Amino acid sequence: MHGKVTCLDSKEDEILALPLDDISQPSDLNISTSPLKENLNTDADILGRRIVNISHLFNAIKLIDSHKPFDCSFKDMRIIKEIKYGFKSTFVFKCDMCNTISKISTEDENMMSINTAAVAGFINIGCGFSHLQEITCALEVPTVNYGTYNKEHRTVCQGYELAAIKAMDDAAKIEAELAIQAGDIDTDGTPLVAVVADGSWCKRSYKTMYNSPSGMAALVGYRTKKVLYFGVKNKFCSVCARVKPNETPKKHDCFKNWKSSDGSAGMEASIVVEEFKQSESTYGIRYHKLIADGDSSVYKQILDARPYKHLTVEKVECRNHLLRNLCRKLRDLTTQKHSGKLEHRQLLGKKYSKN
């Protein structure tokens, strides 16, 4: 037999040391090739693989071994049912000697649910339900259904949201302490914090312009370099879009929170202004300096909104954006013939930063 060999007996090291050509039959490894149902004392169809908490499984087997009243052993028990809930399985055993019914779960109830952990892992790598199905199918592991996936997805997202809110609240407290230490305090004792703000939305051009129906913006504390606020605006909801005129959409989680005619570009300014208005009520601080790119629309809307009665927000141009714009202009000069002689443009191309 040629190929990879998986050893299951106690002589694993000895077998791995043997050349593959010396292992001609599966019996050499003490591995049965008969179907699983013939190997296992079971009345149920137990097929495929399972994800188990191995320590919990072994301990559970020990607990039902040598059970009362006749001190029957685990070998006298047979599986009569498997109860599946996503990746979690509960096996029901019945003793042939005393008819005792026992259950063994594949996971420890004190740990995070395997379904929640799996969905969280796939969210973190940017995958979804279909990807989860494909991988578990290849592994021959029973997977979660769509309803269970959505339930766990909501649980994970709610957990992420709570963790993000706490992290931003902690960052704001640190920013306030650093502002007080630096003497950046308003006349009424409110800490004054400088923030870096920027936003984005997808924009493509395939002969026709396309702006994403979603946009985001974030405010980062200048001293801590930590996020103080993160906002998302959506001008499209798939459920609402399917509703016919004069009909009311069914009850759902609607993410449409942007109806302005300013387009996608206005989302960034709206999110930033929104956070400036609620900084006092949320964190007890004021943003007195805005560090951002050369886009004047955001700063103009902040000035028009007047988030603070006796404080005018100061605009500071972001050095990184200024440097990037300068490099772009210099790069354009090296490719334009009317900018100068070729040797001069080549010399300029070697000097300016390409980062």
Side-chain angles (χ1 to χ4, degrees):
M1 181 177 67
H2 300 275
K4 182 178 180 180
V5 177
T6 302
C7 308
L8 302 180
D9 62 357
S10 59
K11 299 182 179 181
E12 181 177 357
D13 294 335
E14 296 179 15
I15 295 172
L16 290 176
L18 293 174
L20 293 180
D21 292 338
D22 293 343
I23 305 174
S24 56
Q25 299 295 333
S27 58
D28 294 339
L29 303 182
N30 194 24
I31 301 175
S32 174
T33 57
S34 58
L36 178 60
K37 191 172 181 178
E38 295 181 12
N39 293 339
L40 201 61
N41 186 16
T42 176
D43 289 340
D45 291 328
I46 309 297
L47 302 175
R49 300 182 174 96
R50 303 293 184 272
I51 300 175
V52 302
N53 182 324
I54 195 67
S55 176
H56 168 77
L57 181 65
F58 288 161
N59 289 332
I61 292 175
K62 289 180 180 179
L63 291 176
I64 67 173
D65 192 26
S66 299
H67 53 272
K68 303 294 183 179
F70 305 121
D71 290 332
C72 310
S73 65
F74 183 69
K75 67 180 181 180
D76 297 318
M77 308 191 77
R78 54 190 170 87
I79 301 175
I80 60 174
K81 185 190 296 184
E82 179 186 11
I83 305 172
K84 300 177 185 176
Y85 180 66
F87 293 109
K88 176 186 175 181
S89 290
T90 300
F91 297 99
V92 182
F93 291 83
K94 182 177 182 181
C95 181
D96 290 331
M97 300 292 291
C98 62
N99 290 331
T100 298
I101 303 295
S102 301
K103 296 180 180 180
I104 292 181
S105 175
T106 55
E107 66 173 53
D108 188 352
E109 298 298 334
N110 295 323
M111 298 179 63
M112 177 187 288
S113 168
I114 182 64
N115 297 325
T116 305
V119 173
F122 271 75
I123 291 176
N124 289 341
I125 61 175
C127 295
F129 177 69
S130 298
H131 301 93
L132 180 59
Q133 277 193 317
E134 291 177 7
I135 290 180
T136 53
C137 179
L139 295 174
E140 297 185 39
V141 174
T143 187
V144 297
N145 58 37
Y146 189 70
T148 302
Y149 180 88
N150 278 339
K151 177 183 176 181
E152 298 295 346
H153 190 279
R154 286 192 294 269
T155 300
V156 172
C157 290
Q158 289 171 0
Y160 283 169
E161 183 177 358
L162 293 176
I165 292 173
K166 185 179 184 304
M168 291 186 292
D169 185 63
D170 293 341
K173 291 178 181 178
I174 298 174
E175 281 284 348
E177 293 175 358
L178 295 176
I180 294 173
Q181 293 176 8
D184 292 335
I185 305 173
D186 210 347
T187 55
D188 59 353
T190 303
L192 300 177
V193 175
V195 292
V196 181
D198 201 1
S200 68
W201 68 94
C202 295
K203 188 179 183 70
R204 293 180 180 176
S205 176
Y206 294 112
K207 295 184 180 179
T208 57
M209 296 302 296
Y210 166 77
N211 286 326
S212 171
S214 298
M216 55 74 57
L219 270 69
V220 179
Y222 177 72
R223 291 187 173 93
T224 61
K225 308 297 187 294
K226 295 181 179 180
V227 177
L228 301 179
Y229 182 79
F230 181 87
V232 177
K233 294 292 185 182
N234 298 295
K235 57 182 179 181
F236 178 81
C237 174
S238 59
V239 177
C240 297
R242 296 191 183 101
V243 178
K244 297 179 180 179
N246 302 324
E247 289 187 2
T248 303
K250 64 179 182 180
K251 186 178 180 180
H252 66 287
D253 293 330
C254 185
F255 297 98
K256 186 177 180 180
N257 56 2
W258 178 254
K259 298 180 180 180
S260 175
S261 59
D262 294 341
S264 299
M267 294 180 181
E268 176 185 353
S270 175
I271 296 171
V272 174
V273 172
E274 186 178 273
E275 170 53 15
F276 269 75
K277 287 182 177 180
Q278 63 186 28
S279 66
E280 290 182 275
S281 59
T282 305
Y283 301 133
I285 59 179
R286 296 183 185 130
Y287 304 136
H288 72 304
K289 290 183 180 180
L290 172 67
I291 304 172
D293 56 20
D295 184 5
S296 60
S297 62
V298 176
Y299 183 56
K300 181 179 182 303
Q301 290 198 33
I302 292 176
L303 294 179
D304 294 340
R306 299 294 301 177
Y308 314 118
K309 294 181 179 179
H310 307 293
L311 176 67
T312 300
V313 179
E314 179 185 350
K315 171 69 179 298
V316 179
E317 293 292 333
C318 176
R319 182 175 59 185
N320 291 335
H321 283 86
L322 290 174
L323 181 60
R324 186 185 65 181
N325 293 335
L326 175 62
C327 291
R328 183 186 297 116
K329 295 294 184 181
L330 293 175
R331 183 172 63 249
D332 292 342
L333 289 176
T334 61
T335 60
Q336 298 170 356
K337 294 182 179 180
H338 60 80
S339 299
K341 296 182 179 179
L342 177 60
E343 56 268 23
H344 295 164
R345 289 188 281 119
Q346 290 177 341
L347 179 61
L348 177 62
K350 295 178 182 179
K351 293 294 183 180
Y352 80 91
S353 173
K354 296 183 180 181
N355 296 325

